Amino acid sequence: MILRGLAAALLAIGVAPCAAFAQTLQQQAQALLDQRQYAAAAELLEHRLEASPGDTDARFMLARTHAWSGEPARALPLYEKLLVDEPDNTDYLFGYGQALLWSGQPDRAVEVLERAQRLAPDYAELAQLLAQARDAAPSAQPSDATAEASTPEQAVAAPLPQQRYRSIAFSARRDWLDGTYDDWANLRFDVADTQAGRVGAYGALVGDRRFGMNDQGIEAGLIVPLTATWTLQPEIGLVSDADFLPRYYADLRVQRVFANGWIGAASLRTSDYPDGRVDRLALGAERYWGVWRAAYTFNLTRLHGSDSPGHDLRLARAYGDRNETGLQIAFGREAALAGTGVVVSDVRALILFGRHVLAGNWSLLWNMGIVDQGDLYTRRSLGLGLERRF
């Protein structure tokens, strides 16, 4: 990957851009839940389900939101719908049993939780909840020890369970250059393991062919929640015997989730190329509303002591279950490759991108577009990838 600034962000395809959409929505809702703003979280999740009725993650989080806000009866039909498709999902069974208990149906809760315990006998929180349900059932008297957390109001300080996201993706991209330059080719293998409210990790193996040369490298990063609304994201990349890619890069990004669907972010990045160093400051704002998201990023790139400003605009629409399609426009000046050297050039770019769920947990990732790199060259690109989510 060249420069995780404007050009690479325009053309890279993998888990990061599309996974970020679902991850950010989850972060917003989780931040609201952590602050006990249940009504705002429910509104955000309901809008998401209107646009994507098959989004099981949003449905699961909405069910938990209703249960913990003191309306467990509203959670029951949501859990029942989830369990139709995944009857052996112990997290769904746990939440369903909890909502049944809190809505005054301890006998049914015992039945559901006993089934869950047979599937996951080592699930400690489930065993505790089952004991509470048994104590609350008419056939037994609740004990003082287990009755303390028998309602959402009494258990409000307990943490909500978090949904975990793991994925792998393989993608390929081809760039056709005009003039005397050879075409470019890129292959990536990405992995990610993230969970809202907890430290997540991601990485990639990358192979690039440009100007008749080949470079291979690795990338790795962490997603570190500092508070309910602040997230730190350090990332590094290494290329051994680099001919045109940076020998290494280091990036540090900080993000804050605000109310009403707003997200702000800033990042600092340094990339060490064979013939010089490129530094970049990026400042961005993103807004989610309904099925739409819009983002703007201002990039300030420094090369050989001079600063070059660039702009990146994106508009995307969600549809179906975790699907998205969008448009990206970029313009300004940036660091670009000219053979093995890095120079500053004008840039204008128009990119279409998206994700479409094929079947089960498989998704198609795609992008296509054109980048005018000033007087250097014009690139036309097509990228395709497959992602498997666990």
Side-chain angles (χ1 to χ4, degrees), residues 11 13 171-174 176 365-369 381-385:
L11 294 175
I13 184 171
S171 57
R173 193 187 71 247
R174 183 81 173 184
W176 293 270
L365 313 175
W366 61 270
N367 65 35
M368 62 181 69
S381 67
L382 174 64
L384 295 173

Side-chain angles (χ1 to χ4, degrees), residues 113-336:
L113 294 170
E114 284 180 344
R115 180 167 178 271
Q117 191 176 53
R118 289 194 293 271
L119 295 168
D122 297 327
Y123 197 152
E125 292 84 357
L126 192 153
Q128 294 171 4
L129 185 63
L130 177 56
Q132 295 169 20
R134 284 171 174 162
D135 282 349
S139 58
Q141 286 294 321
S143 66
D144 293 339
T146 57
E148 292 179 356
S150 60
T151 67
E153 291 82 2
Q154 293 168 328
V156 72
L160 287 168
Q162 308 281 331
Q163 186 78 349
R164 188 175 184 180
Y165 298 89
R166 288 178 290 180
S167 64
I168 60 173
F170 177 78
S171 57
R173 193 187 71 247
R174 183 81 173 184
D175 294 86
W176 293 270
L177 279 68
D178 63 1
T180 60
Y181 289 106
D182 294 333
D183 297 337
W184 296 358
N186 169 270
L187 295 175
R188 291 181 62 92
F189 177 72
D190 290 86
V191 297
D193 187 343
T194 61
Q195 189 170 5
R198 299 185 182 180
V199 176
Y202 59 93
L205 299 176
V206 184
D208 267 280
R209 179 171 177 79
R210 305 183 186 187
F211 311 110
M213 297 173 288
N214 296 292
D215 274 349
Q216 296 84 37
I218 59 172
E219 302 170 6
L222 296 174
I223 301 172
V224 184
L226 302 176
T227 68
T229 56
W230 286 94
T231 302
L232 191 68
Q233 187 173 343
E235 181 178 309
I236 61 171
L238 297 171
V239 176
S240 61
D241 300 322
D243 290 317
F244 52 89
L245 293 182
R247 291 175 291 195
Y248 71 85
Y249 73 81
D251 189 285
L252 184 62
R253 172 187 169 92
V254 63
Q255 175 181 288
R256 188 182 192 282
V257 177
F258 297 91
N260 301 317
W262 283 98
I263 298 172
S267 70
L268 288 171
R269 184 187 189 90
T270 183
S271 302
D272 183 56
Y273 286 87
D275 71 336
R277 194 178 79 175
V278 178
D279 297 317
R280 187 215 64 192
L281 168 68
L283 302 172
E286 194 167 10
R287 172 80 195 283
Y288 290 78
W289 73 101
V291 299
W292 295 93
R293 72 178 176 100
Y296 167 73
T297 302
F298 171 76
N299 295 291
L300 188 64
T301 302
R302 169 162 289 190
L303 174 64
H304 303 316
S306 63
D307 296 329
S308 303
H311 310 272
D312 184 319
L313 299 165
R314 303 188 191 197
L315 180 66
R317 185 182 189 278
Y319 66 95
D321 182 9
R322 305 195 313 273
N323 301 324
E324 179 189 29
T325 185
L327 172 68
Q328 185 173 14
I329 299 172
F331 58 93
R333 291 177 63 78
E334 66 167 12

